[in-house]
Amino acid sequence: MAIQKEIWLNDIVANLFDSNPHLGFAVNADEFVLQGKVVHIPNAGSKPSVKRNRSSLPASVTQRGDADITFALDEFTTDPILIPNADDYELSYDKRASVIGEQSEALSELVGTWMFRYWAPATAENIIRTTGDAVAAHVGTGNRKKLTVADVKRAKLLLDRMGVPADGRVIALDADLYDQFTDELTASQYRDFSQAYDASRGVVGQLFGFTFLAPRTSVLIYTNDATPAPVDPGSTIQDSYNAGGLIWHRNSVIRAMGDHEFFENEKDPTYYGSIYSALVRAGGRIRRNDAKGVIALVQAATT
């Protein structure tokens, strides 16, 4: 019988990964990563008191109490992947380059997902619940209230009341919340919104002073407590959990991410092939102790 030859394409169909444009809209502390595993953020104390036409002297002397906020960098690592020795000779595509590339992208995606968690506020003053019509939940079970244009405008007003600068406000939504929001836009609003589209920065639009980033598979997940609490990525999703989006000012959050490190053990005699893995250290947090400049948009359950 004739030998049946298998045909391989030169390019492998790659896995899909979320991109991380939000990392470019934050204070960058990457330079501190090589100096250790902890980043220090000095926070100024309270503002000085000012009086008009002071009549009593001497004036009271006060001392500003500055606070030192720190955050540690977490270590993210991939599971080692074995490439059998036979693959080096029998495959026409570069499996090694594909494996290393996907390990790098998988690390970046997980770091990007955790960065939202690092930036997630946990105080009631910084959380806005959605108020729209009922829609099937895409996190948890049952129905949730849709994200509306009015909800986003409420976030704008809250930032205004916080005294947050108008320039530099950013919003990130998952695909479902983004779809709910854009469905509510009028034709003229959508026209104005889409004029800010900039694929190179991951920006899909701008409205009410917010720069909208390209939607992701997931941004944040919150519990349904009276004051919702952020849920760590990778946790088991409970029926009552809610999807959330994040709004922040680019100077209100900080991130630090080190360079990727790759490890290889070529031609391992016990595995009859080469083993590859990757590592990166990363972390972040809200810059201010009072969390001003950061708001979570959290779905509300319907009754």
Side-chain angles (χ1 to χ4, degrees), residues 193-226:
F193 173 82
S194 58
Q195 285 179 353
Y197 182 83
D198 184 352
S200 64
R201 297 194 303 145
V203 174
V204 293
Q206 193 169 50
L207 199 66
F208 306 135
F210 292 117
T211 296
F212 285 72
L213 301 185
R216 292 171 58 93
T217 304
S218 176
V219 173
L220 288 173
I221 296 175
Y222 274 81
T223 66
N224 199 43
D225 298 328

Side-chain angles (χ1 to χ4, degrees), residues 26 42 80 123 128 144 165 178 194 225 272 303:
T123 55
I128 291 177
R144 301 290 186 273
Y178 178 79
S194 58
D225 298 328
Y272 306 98
T303 55

Side-chain angles (χ1 to χ4, degrees), residues 77 84 115 120 139 149 176 181 202 228 297:
T77 55
M115 201 60 65
V139 171
V149 171
D176 289 84
F181 174 77
L297 295 169

Side-chain angles (χ1 to χ4, degrees), residues 5-277:
K5 295 183 178 180
E6 295 184 6
I7 299 174
W8 289 84
L9 296 177
N10 289 331
D11 296 324
I12 186 172
V13 178
N15 290 313
L16 299 178
F17 299 89
D18 277 328
S19 59
N20 298 320
H22 57 292
L23 298 183
F25 293 86
V27 175
N28 186 346
D30 287 356
E31 61 182 294
F32 300 107
V33 172
L34 299 179
Q35 300 176 23
K37 297 181 180 180
V38 177
V39 176
H40 290 259
I41 313 169
N43 268 227
S46 58
K47 296 179 181 179
S49 176
V50 178
K51 292 186 178 180
R52 175 176 172 270
N53 298 329
R54 190 183 299 270
S55 59
S56 177
L57 294 174
S60 298
V61 178
T62 60
Q63 184 175 354
R64 194 180 78 174
D66 293 352
D68 180 32
I69 297 176
T70 64
F71 67 89
L73 301 186
D74 290 325
E75 185 177 88
F76 297 85
T77 55
T78 64
D79 290 339
I81 294 181
L82 169 67
I83 300 180
N85 188 60
D87 284 359
D88 290 337
Y89 300 97
E90 296 177 2
L91 300 182
S92 60
Y93 67 85
D94 191 344
K95 188 170 181 177
R96 178 180 178 275
S98 175
V99 165
I100 292 176
E102 290 204 340
Q103 285 188 328
S104 175
E105 290 176 320
L107 278 175
S108 295
E109 181 183 48
L110 185 58
V111 168
T113 299
W114 267 96
M115 201 60 65
F116 284 123
R117 173 62 186 87
Y118 296 143
W119 298 346
T123 55
E125 295 79 9
N126 298 78
I127 295 174
I128 291 177
R129 305 301 293 267
T130 56
T131 60
D133 296 334
V135 64
H138 61 282
V139 171
T141 61
N143 293 328
R144 301 290 186 273
K145 295 182 179 180
K146 295 173 64 175
L147 176 67
T148 68
V149 171
D151 296 331
V152 176
K153 289 188 69 176
R154 286 166 56 209
K156 175 188 180 302
L157 177 59
L158 181 54
L159 289 179
D160 292 342
R161 288 174 174 171
M162 290 178 180
V164 175
D167 182 51
R169 298 178 181 183
V170 187
I171 180 169
L173 303 171
D174 66 36
D176 289 84
L177 292 176
Y178 178 79
D179 187 62
Q180 294 168 19
F181 174 77
T182 53
D183 271 353
E184 278 217 339
L185 297 178
T186 64
S188 59
Q189 283 178 325
Y190 191 80
R191 182 192 62 239
D192 296 340
F193 173 82
S194 58
Q195 285 179 353
Y197 182 83
D198 184 352
S200 64
R201 297 194 303 145
V203 174
V204 293
Q206 193 169 50
L207 199 66
F208 306 135
F210 292 117
T211 296
F212 285 72
L213 301 185
R216 292 171 58 93
T217 304
S218 176
V219 173
L220 288 173
I221 296 175
Y222 274 81
T223 66
N224 199 43
D225 298 328
T227 298
V231 176
D232 289 348
S235 299
T236 301
I237 302 300
Q238 304 296 322
D239 291 345
S240 62
Y241 284 0
N242 303 294
L246 189 67
I247 291 175
W248 71 96
H249 188 275
R250 63 185 308 153
N251 290 331
S252 295
V253 295
I254 189 169
R255 59 93 166 172
M257 186 165 66
D259 296 331
H260 291 90
E261 294 184 39
F262 292 98
F263 305 90
E264 61 181 358
N265 186 8
E266 292 188 326
K267 298 183 178 180
D268 188 298
T270 59
Y271 285 93
Y272 306 98
S274 300
I275 301 172
Y276 301 92
S277 63

